[in-house]
Amino acid sequence: MEFAELIKTAKVENVQLSCPGLPPIKGTLCITSHHLLLSSQPGGNGEPSTVELWLLIRNVDAIEKSVQNLGWYQTSRTNSSHRETRIASSLGTITLKCKDLKVLQLEIPGMEECLNIASSTEALSSVDSVMMMYPFFYRPQSMKLKDGWQLYPLQHYYQQIASETSAWRLSCVNGDFTICSSYPPAVIVPATVDDKVLKKAARFRQGGRFPVLSYYHKKNGRVMLRSSQPLLGPNRKRCQEDELLLSAVLDGGERGFIIDTRSAQAAKQARMMGGGTEPKSFYPHWKRLHRPLERGRPLQESFMKLVEACNDTSLSMDRWLSKLEASKWLAHVKAALSTACLAAQCMEREEACVLVHGAEGTDTTLLVTALAQVILDPNCRTLTGFQGLLEREWIEAGHPFHCRCSHSAYSHARLKQEAPIFLLFLDCVWQLGRQFPFSLQFNERLLLVLFEHTYASCYGTFLCNSEKERCLCQVKEKTHSLWSWLNQPSELKKHLNPLYTYNALVIWPSVEPQSLQLWQGLFLRWIRSSQYLDEAWAEIQRLVTSCEDAPEGSAGRTLCHSQPDAAYPLTITGTANEG
Amino acid sequence: MEHIRTTKVEQVKLIDRFSTSNKSLMGTLYLTATHLLFIDSSQKETWILHHHIAAVEKLALTTSGCPLVIQCKNFRVVHFIVPRERDCHDIYNSLLQLSKPASYDELYAFSYNPKQNESKRLQGWQLIDLAEEYKRMGVPNSNWQLSDANRNYEICDSYPRELYVPRTASKPVIVGSSKFRSKGRFPVLSYYHRDKEAAICRCSQPLSGFSARCLEDENMLHAISIANPAHHYMYVMDTRPKLNAMANRAAGKGYENEDNYANIRFQFVGIENIHVMRSSLQKLLEVSGTKALSVNSFLSGLENSGWLAQTVEWINNETFFKNVNKVFRVATNILVRLSFERVLEGIEDHAKKPKEMQSGVLIEKDWISFGHKFSDRCGQLDGDPKEISPVFTQFLEGVWHLTEQFPQVFEYNEAFLLQIHEHVHSCQFGNFLGNCQKEREELKLKEKTYSLWPFLLDEQKKYINPLYNRDFSQKLVLLEPNTASFNFKFWRNMYHQFDRTMHPRQSVFNLIMTMSEQNKQLEKDFKELEAKMKQRNRQPEELLTKEPLQSVHPASPALKTSPCFKKEQPLLPMKDSIRTIEGSNTADNRYSEYMEELSKAEPAVVSLEYGVARMTC
């Protein structure tokens, strides 16, 4: 496929860009294979043109276009016969609703240009082939391709565990992805269980996701495992190997907890479809707890409703509150945090092992295990620790980012598998950060960056659905890693929390509705001006850090924030021709 | 005191009101003349001032004892279980009596004695000088003058003695106008904007009924209008919903008819009356006090209570003021009609005095001296419960919302607002007693009680906003708050100020406070050292050899510790004795105990909610 085929009009002059809260800008609009660029007209006294907008087309979630005919009839009364001359002129308006929730408006002179730009953008934004995506073309000069991909190997994490106990081993049973297509090649399993058992146990779990270690709690040696649902089916099948695997985790007589992220009812119903949950009789040492968490479509709809409510600034207080309530987003935040707290509590207070699973084990399961680790483990609250956690518990663990994040809250496209599970996780982490402002080493800005990059990115980190797919697409060879960009000293500085001090304790959040807040920095980022809050934040930063480095602005609202560096020539003509 | 029958009850349980497993603390309950005191087994003290008690309730006897629920005006809710019903009954009856004093002289302010000498006490009352404040605003000037019409409260007994009126308004006009206004509250100057020559005036509703007119009142408004030469018409804002104003006409009151008054524009602002306001806060508290509350019922409760909606109304009102000044770019006289105390708020961000004491002035001027019926609205005395209403609370909440949107503009912080709220109800200082200036003079408050402001000033370190930026507030003349609904949040730190488990466990605010405090100290030390060095250089050399480094060292320990990152230290380590006498002190509890809590490993909320109790089911 050639991108050029999709671009009907590459360049339009005199386009006006407006974005709520920012003054409108006039300039030249260009479409390249992956970007929409708008450069302002050069100033009269020879000022160079500046790029005002550098929008990754993948970031466009929905396009709305309206064409106004400005044509009017001019009646000339010079002769006795009334002659009407039509002055043709038209103005098209394209509204670009982006996956990072910003909304841009482009006023394009000329109906044809407008429709062309709209259809080109639409076509380019819906290119679904991973290999055609921008990360495969993005080559910044300051970065090396291989960097960052091996920053957080599971081996490192395993070595930490191995230094404490010999009860666990690293198994390469899934080395060629045949046992489980969504697991990474290496997983951590009980040392007493050999690969043969694992293979059989995998067949008893949906998608082959047999129980593996997710977190080792150093304080008391308890572990958190995750898996997918067991395939009991209507006939209540059982699997000796699976039972063996789970009982190998517990020392004789110990009790473990299974946290099922579905309701008891739903788990029971899943039997009809071949799934189910661990029956007490076959797993006598495991106590099952059901904590239903929303997932899939209802969660996506919740997200969409919330964004819709936030975008309507004219709502009265009553309407706003009832819409906020109807979106149920905060209820989901509360449920996720509560369940994670429960898992954390089982380990910390009850000193028991925990197995977490829902149905597929790739969504709410990961939400709970990852969140519980942030609560329990101080290392996960550092910047590198958090990146490692994301790598381990989301990316390698096979959260299907490609499916879940292909559309955001504005899309009119038919929903397939979209669900903002990862966003929900980020929101929960944000809530933790609000309640423990000194305990996270990173700031809100990092969470915002992660949110943006899961939906549209120039880095390969969140591409594909699993390690297997990433291997097939050679993501690690052909794209740059988000981490290597984030960990550059200049970027790193922006994402550090100046108030951070190491806090070795478990951070138990309050989950009362009065304590949970709407994440304004994300949901209202493009809607209201945060100038005063940003300035206050800069002041805090100035007060806390030594005065030598100038305060950095916070998240900000510039339209060019992900502007790539010198790899792309900044002159517009250069890039436009490339298409 | 004759009301106290039992002074001490042992083995009393204090129940955590949000705990689902009825977690409790065992301790001893003491009843004193002014306070109810609970000391738990770990010697932690909970003081409750009798004046703060809004309601006492005795619930049905249970196996463990007799439950006693006390709700306070500062939103503390305590739930005791007293082992013997007889004791519970005694305490209940005593509290009923003590919390509703029948006369002013029973109030705490008249017995409160912080051991300050007389001259200092008097100085405290002189701290706020209203004439000075008017001078700052630029009055009297060529258009406005001080009127002596009300010098002996002959025209309006709820107004103060000194009133500013337009120069062109003669005494007969004033007297005539006051007769046409409810309770004699004729239009007087409230705030004057020096740069734009715009003024905000206040008054009560006219007694217009359906058709009555009053020439003097019309002249009065005209006088106000021409007191601002730059503009030829003015706004009259009625703070009631239109419906209420119409209804009042039947009672011989009502609103100005635009036809009868020259050059006015009329506008209604839908702020509900005190009764709606009271029930709305009541509903809010009911919802937020529920155990194991779900997010959805919280939000729908918030919606049903309508409390936030009203807050928005208030702020909208303020915004209108600003728009007027902004849009017309000229000074516009706005006549604010006050059905008594409402809407004083509008002025507040106009006045926007970021200075801490200025806010005190504002409250003194606009709330106290202009006769907000503090005694009635706060239920200080045993009186008509229908007169109680959280108007002032809503004013404070409005200010809080502004501080949230403009974190660098206000010199004071949230703790200051909370502390004022605390003392409006505490009756510990004379400022908020009585219903109007006249009554206050009759009570001889300035002779018999202490003023709150010097006490706040003494502790001003606690109330300073470390982010306050002086330049910022100079260039920003008017605040223009964003009034979209999503900007308004539930004020957790007010309505749950005593429910510590709901608050963030670490406070950025405190950290910043200590840091800027430390920085100041370091700068001071630095300067001192510098000065010493200079001095030393000038001194003859023999002195230098005598005590060479000794005096330099002791002054510098602060320099040894790095200025930043000393978070482990409890912040604001001020535990002076005055505080503990006052006891039920909000700010102290909250702002310093998080740190301790952190070191105590896990706070209790989550544990009990998801805890063992449920897992065994």
Side-chain angles (χ1 to χ4, degrees), chain A residues 508-526:
Chain A
W508 299 110
S510 158
V511 295
E512 301 290 344
Q514 293 95 322
S515 306
L516 300 177
Q517 289 177 332
L518 176 71
W519 185 4
Q520 300 208 346
L522 184 117
F523 292 106
L524 304 179
R525 180 174 177 189
W526 305 101

Side-chain angles (χ1 to χ4, degrees), chain A residues 143 383 443 445-446 449 453 459 482-496 552 561-563:
Chain A
M143 291 163 70
L383 189 64
N443 59 17
R445 193 169 177 163
L446 178 83
V449 165
H453 283 269
Y459 303 99
L482 175 67
W483 310 136
S484 71
W485 171 69
L486 272 179
N487 291 332
Q488 291 172 357
S490 58
E491 288 301 318
L492 204 62
K493 220 168 56 186
K494 294 181 205 161
H495 300 113
L496 287 177
E552 297 272 353
H561 52 83
S562 57
Q563 181 162 345

Side-chain angles (χ1 to χ4, degrees), chain B residues 449-502:
Chain B
T449 66
Y450 290 84
S451 165
L452 169 66
W453 309 124
F455 284 87
L456 293 182
L457 207 58
D458 276 354
E459 299 175 338
Q460 61 174 319
K461 268 185 201 160
K462 277 193 238 172
Y463 307 124
I464 291 281
N465 174 7
L467 301 179
Y468 173 59
N469 185 343
R470 226 164 273 275
D471 316 335
F472 194 107
S473 59
Q474 268 160 13
K475 72 182 177 226
L476 192 102
V477 181
L478 290 172
L479 297 184
E480 288 172 59
N482 183 341
T483 52
S485 300
F486 48 63
N487 289 297
F488 298 92
K489 290 171 283 187
F490 175 72
W491 192 5
R492 187 186 53 208
N493 287 355
M494 171 66 96
Y495 305 111
H496 287 294
Q497 49 184 310
F498 296 98
D499 305 307
R500 283 192 302 126
T501 48
M502 275 185 194

